[in-house]
Amino acid sequence: MIGVLQSWDPEGLVVRHVDSSLHEIHVSDVTAAKTIPEMPLRPVDVEQLFLTTALGRPAVETSYVGQWLLRASSGWTGRANSLLPAGDPGMPIPEALKHAEAFYDERGLPPLALVRLGSPEEAEFIAAGWTDARPGQSDVLVMHTTLDHVNASPAYDVLIAEQPDEAWYAAALDGPVPEPAPTVMEGAPKAVFASISLDGVAVAVGRGSMTGHWLGVDAIRVDPSYRRRGLGTALLQGLARWSGPLGGRRTYLEVLEENTAAVTTYSNLGYQPAYRYRYLTNG
C-alpha cells in the first residue's frame, strides 16, 4: 500500500490513497515499512492546462476562430469575456484578430484576450498593437499540484453541494448576483459548490469543477472576520476529497501574483507555478 500516512498508533495505521480513500492496516499485518520521499511533481502539459481552465468555467456564449475560443458573458469577469488563443486559428493571426474584434464589437464589449506570458501568441498580439488591459493589476499565476498533497481531512466541516444557494452567492459575491453569474458558475458538466458555516453563517465558499482528471478550484472567498483560521485550506481539501473518487488526480487554481498571502498558502500545500497570463486589449 502506497499513500500518505494519515495516522498511526500502537494498534495500526491509516493510509490515505490518492482517491481520498482511507485504508486501515493492523500492526500485525505490517512486516516492513519505510519513508518514501515525496514524489516530484510531474511536468505539466501547459497547452492542455491552458484549455482545461476554460472548460472548467464556461462562458454564456462561445464561438470559434479556428481553434481559438471566443467567450462573452455580458462583461462579467475577464475569463468569461475574453479570447483564449489556444491552438491554430486556421488563418493568419492578424486576420483572426480582426474576427475577434468584430465578435466583441457586435456585443458592445471591449476586445480582450487572455494571453499566456512567453507564448508565441503574446508576441504576435503585441506586434499587432494589443496592449496590457489592466496595467494596474499584477499577472495571474496558474498553479498546479497532485491531489495527494491536498486531499487530507479538513479541519472544518465542508458542505459540498451540486447547486449554489443564496447563502453561497451572498458569501461569494459583493451585492446582487449578476445575470450571467449562474450560467458561468453552474455551467460546467461537473461542478460543485463548497461552503463552511460558523456561527450559523456561511463564512467561506469555493467552487470545484472536474475536467478529465483535473480538479479546478476557483471562487475561494473567506469572510475577512474569519481569515487566518485555515478555512481556505479546508475548502481546498474538501473539494479534493470530492474529486478523488471521480477520478481526480491533479488540481489547478488561479491567483493574482500580488496576493502574496494566497500564493504562500497554496505553495505550502504543494502547488507550483504552471504559467502566468495577463489580459491584452486593442480597444
Side-chain angles (χ1 to χ4, degrees), residues 116-127:
R116 189 162 46 85
L117 300 189
S119 66
E121 291 77 17
E122 180 194 20
E124 293 274 8
F125 279 52
I126 292 175

Side-chain angles (χ1 to χ4, degrees), residues 11-268:
E11 297 298 320
L13 49 88
V14 177
V15 175
R16 187 180 75 245
H17 193 51
V18 65
D19 65 0
S20 303
S21 60
L22 300 179
H23 300 267
E24 297 183 2
I25 303 174
H26 194 272
V27 66
S28 62
D29 294 327
V30 178
T31 57
K34 67 176 182 178
T35 300
I36 299 176
E38 185 174 292
M39 294 182 63
L41 193 58
R42 290 187 293 113
V44 65
D45 184 333
V46 172
E47 294 287 348
Q48 180 197 60
L49 182 55
F50 189 52
L51 181 59
T52 296
T53 62
L55 298 176
R57 188 168 171 173
V60 173
E61 182 181 3
T62 58
S63 184
Y64 286 90
V65 176
Q67 295 177 327
W68 283 10
L69 177 62
L70 294 162
R71 303 173 291 185
S73 303
S74 302
W76 188 70
T77 79
R79 277 179 284 180
N81 292 275
S82 57
L83 162 66
L84 192 84
D88 183 0
M91 62 186 73
I93 285 183
E95 186 178 344
L97 291 177
K98 289 181 181 179
H99 280 275
E101 291 167 6
F103 174 85
Y104 290 107
D105 184 62
E106 290 171 1
R107 290 154 181 79
L109 297 171
L112 199 64
L114 191 161
V115 179
R116 189 162 46 85
L117 300 189
S119 66
E121 291 77 17
E122 180 194 20
E124 293 274 8
F125 279 52
I126 292 175
W130 288 56
T131 59
D132 192 346
R134 301 175 179 180
Q137 178 179 291
S138 68
D139 297 326
V140 179
L141 181 61
V142 179
M143 307 182 75
H144 73 108
T145 190
T146 175
L147 214 66
D148 278 336
H149 290 167
V150 289
N151 66 354
S153 298
Y156 299 88
D157 290 331
V158 180
L159 174 65
I160 303 292
E162 293 186 355
Q163 295 291 329
D165 56 16
E166 292 183 5
W168 190 94
Y169 274 120
L173 305 174
D174 292 321
V177 178
E179 183 178 348
T183 301
V184 173
M185 302 300 282
E186 303 171 37
K190 290 183 182 179
V192 291
F193 302 84
S195 61
I196 298 173
S197 294
L198 298 176
D199 304 322
V201 179
V203 297
V205 296
R207 175 182 176 273
S209 60
M210 285 288 294
T211 305
H213 67 274
W214 282 101
L215 164 67
V217 177
D218 68 322
I220 295 288
R221 190 170 188 186
V222 179
D223 186 300
S225 301
Y226 291 84
R227 288 176 182 167
R228 301 188 183 280
R229 299 190 188 183
L231 293 168
T233 295
L235 287 171
L236 285 169
Q237 292 168 334
L239 289 168
R241 294 174 73 82
W242 162 76
S243 71
L246 297 178
R249 293 297 178 265
R250 307 186 81 174
T251 171
Y252 70 86
L253 51 78
E254 303 182 13
V255 59
L256 287 171
E257 280 195 283
E258 63 191 22
N259 189 349
T260 55
V263 172
T264 298
T265 296
Y266 301 145
S267 298
N268 290 339

